[in-house]
Amino acid sequence: IGDTVLGSQVGGTQDFGNVVVDSGTTFTYFPSKVAKGLAQSLAASCVDPGASDGGCMATRVGDDCWRMTVGTSPTRFPVVTMVFRSRSGDVVVRWPANAYLYRRADPANNLWCHAFADNGGDGQTVLGVSFFMHKNIVFDMENS
């Protein structure tokens, strides 16, 4: 996975550790340095909704949620771009806000929260369903 997310560095390639694709896991989990860097970069990119550029048009609630006007979705949040490096070339994957954020069950509050988390002491990245939303994924078992 590449080094730059939201225009800022959240860790070097080695900081992501081994990467596991897990279609049975709801959230996406990153090692602490990466998860914290991503959350901080996201918060920095979503300035006060009263600012001249409007930011993300959301108010931060706690460490991992955002309150938006009822009936809106996170269309003004940035798209996270990740680069998977391999011997055969780089693959760029865009992770839209309506995948890395999920809407909480209470529509009256219109809270959207991180669908990614800190993997704690485990130094690996687990790409769960939140990472694969809005994408077509093919598991080519025959060719590994």
Side-chain angles (χ1 to χ4, degrees), residues 13-54:
T13 302
Q14 70 282 355
D15 294 321
F16 286 85
N18 292 326
V19 178
V20 176
V21 173
D22 188 351
S23 61
T25 297
T26 305
F27 280 15
T28 293
Y29 294 91
F30 297 108
S32 295
K33 181 178 179 179
V34 176
K36 289 174 184 170
L38 177 56
Q40 289 169 351
S41 293
L42 181 58
S45 71
C46 290
V47 295
D48 179 7
S52 60
D53 71 351

Side-chain angles (χ1 to χ4, degrees), residues 36-84:
K36 289 174 184 170
L38 177 56
Q40 289 169 351
S41 293
L42 181 58
S45 71
C46 290
V47 295
D48 179 7
S52 60
D53 71 351
C56 293
M57 299 300 290
T59 303
R60 193 167 183 187
V61 177
D63 289 335
D64 63 353
C65 292
W66 302 85
R67 177 170 285 115
M68 285 172 250
T69 304
V70 174
T72 62
S73 61
T75 56
R76 297 206 38 168
F77 278 71
V79 173
V80 173
T81 301
M82 295 190 165
V83 180
F84 293 83

Side-chain angles (χ1 to χ4, degrees), residues 64-116:
D64 63 353
C65 292
W66 302 85
R67 177 170 285 115
M68 285 172 250
T69 304
V70 174
T72 62
S73 61
T75 56
R76 297 206 38 168
F77 278 71
V79 173
V80 173
T81 301
M82 295 190 165
V83 180
F84 293 83
R85 303 198 187 285
S86 73
R87 286 181 226 125
S88 58
D90 293 351
V91 176
V92 177
V93 178
R94 295 170 52 84
W95 196 18
N98 62 347
Y100 68 74
L101 297 174
Y102 71 95
R103 186 171 55 166
R104 298 278 298 266
D106 181 6
N109 283 318
N110 205 30
L111 278 180
W112 289 74
C113 300
H114 296 170
F116 63 89

